[in-house]
Amino acid sequence: MKVLQLLDSVNRGGAETQVLDICRNASRFGFEMTLVTAGGGALENDFRDSGVEYIRLDRKLPVDVYFASQLRKIIKERGIEIVHGYQAVDGLHLYLATRGLKDVKTVLSFQGFIPGRKNRVTAKLIAPLMDANVLVSKSLFNYLEDIGIKRRENFHVVYNGADPARLQPTGGSIKTELNLPPNTLLAGMVANFTADPTKDQLTICRALPAVIKQFPDFHFVFAGRVADGAEGKLAECLDVCIKNGIADNVHFLGGRS
C-alpha cells in the first residue's frame, strides 16, 4: 500500500511524534510511505532517518495552489493510493491535490481541539469531502458537533497509541538528573507550551501550592518546548510558582527527546 503522509511541520508535537512512530514501522506492516512536510522542525533529522521517503516543500500561502500542484505531481509519480493529513489545512490541500484522481483515497485525522476560527471553518467544510475522517476517541464526537462538524458515515474512531519500543526504559532517571532522592513523590506533564488553549499548564501550576503544602516532598516536572507566541504562558506559570514559594518543587525541562 502506497501512502502519502502530509505534515504542516515536524516539531515535537503529539501528532508529529505519532507519525514518526508510524514511519519507523511502515515497511514492517506493508506500507510504502512518502512523508511530505510544509515546513521543517526539531524532528526533521529523525524523519529523514526513519526509513521512509522524506520530501520537504514550502507552503507560502494559507491556500497555496502551487503547493497543491506539487503534491499532485508526487502523488501521480509515485502511484500513491492513500493520502493522510492531521490538520484542516492539510485536508484542504490534499483535497485540491487529488481532484479527479478517483483511485486515491483521502483521510484526515482529528486529534482534539482545533485552534482558530479559520481552522474550524476549514475543518467543517473539508470533513464531508474526505473519504474517511479518523477520530482518536468517541468523546471527540461531542466536541466536533459543538463547533458545527456533524457526525457522518465517513467518521471512524481509531484510538491513539505509541510504539511500545519507543517507551522501553533506557536506564536514565529524571530524579537523578534533578538530584532528587529516590523516594521523592514525582508527577509530570508532557506537552508543549502553546499560545492557544490546547494545553493548560497554568491551571496545574495554580493547583500545585495546595498539593505541595500537604506533601512537602512532592515535585512536578513540565516537559515541553515553548512555541512562538507562548512565552507569556510560561512566564505566568513561573510567576505563580515563585509567588507561592514552590519554585524549588516545580521543574520546567524544556523540549525533550
Side-chain angles (χ1 to χ4, degrees), residues 15-164:
E16 290 86 351
T17 304
Q18 185 182 67
V19 175
L20 183 57
D21 279 348
I22 294 170
C23 290
R24 286 170 170 168
N25 289 280
S27 61
R28 187 156 62 94
F29 291 93
F31 291 100
E32 186 177 331
M33 184 168 291
T34 298
L35 176 71
V36 179
T37 176
L43 292 176
E44 189 160 14
N45 288 334
D46 296 270
F47 276 106
R48 292 188 185 278
D49 296 335
S50 66
V52 305
E53 182 183 25
Y54 178 91
I55 300 174
R56 179 175 171 178
L57 303 176
D58 290 317
R59 180 169 60 82
K60 301 183 183 302
L61 300 168
V63 181
D64 193 325
V65 177
Y66 178 66
F67 177 77
S69 69
Q70 289 179 296
L71 285 175
R72 186 180 181 88
K73 182 179 179 181
I74 293 169
I75 291 166
K76 293 176 70 174
E77 286 180 347
R78 287 157 179 78
I80 298 294
E81 300 166 80
I82 297 175
V83 296
H84 177 226
Y86 276 84
Q87 297 186 37
V89 68
D90 299 336
L92 174 60
H93 285 91
L94 290 174
Y95 173 74
L96 293 174
T98 57
R99 288 289 303 273
L101 303 180
K102 296 181 180 180
D103 293 331
V104 182
K105 302 300 182 183
T106 55
V107 182
L108 182 63
S109 283
F110 289 90
Q111 299 286 301
F113 178 80
I114 303 175
R117 181 178 178 275
K118 289 183 179 179
N119 287 324
R120 290 191 287 272
V121 170
T122 302
K124 183 178 179 180
L125 294 173
I126 206 67
L129 302 176
M130 296 287 103
D131 290 296
N133 294 280
V134 174
L135 284 65
V136 297
S137 70
K138 293 179 180 178
S139 62
L140 192 53
F141 279 118
N142 298 328
Y143 165 71
L144 293 179
E145 288 180 344
D146 287 343
I147 63 172
I149 301 177
K150 295 181 180 180
R151 189 182 311 197
R152 300 174 182 273
E153 291 183 357
N154 64 345
F155 278 51
H156 311 275
V157 174
V158 178
Y159 294 115
N160 249 341
D163 182 1

Side-chain angles (χ1 to χ4, degrees), residues 160-218:
N160 249 341
D163 182 1
R166 182 166 56 83
L167 303 181
Q168 292 300 310
T170 62
S173 168
I174 192 67
K175 290 182 180 179
T176 301
E177 182 179 328
L178 297 175
N179 294 316
L180 300 176
N183 60 346
T184 299
L185 293 172
L186 183 65
M189 177 180 183
V190 180
N192 293 329
F193 286 81
T194 58
D196 59 61
T198 307
K199 311 296 180 185
D200 189 8
Q201 292 92 342
L202 184 58
T203 293
I204 293 177
C205 288
R206 288 169 174 163
L208 286 175
V211 179
I212 294 171
K213 182 179 180 180
Q214 186 168 352
F215 304 98
D217 194 37
F218 179 83

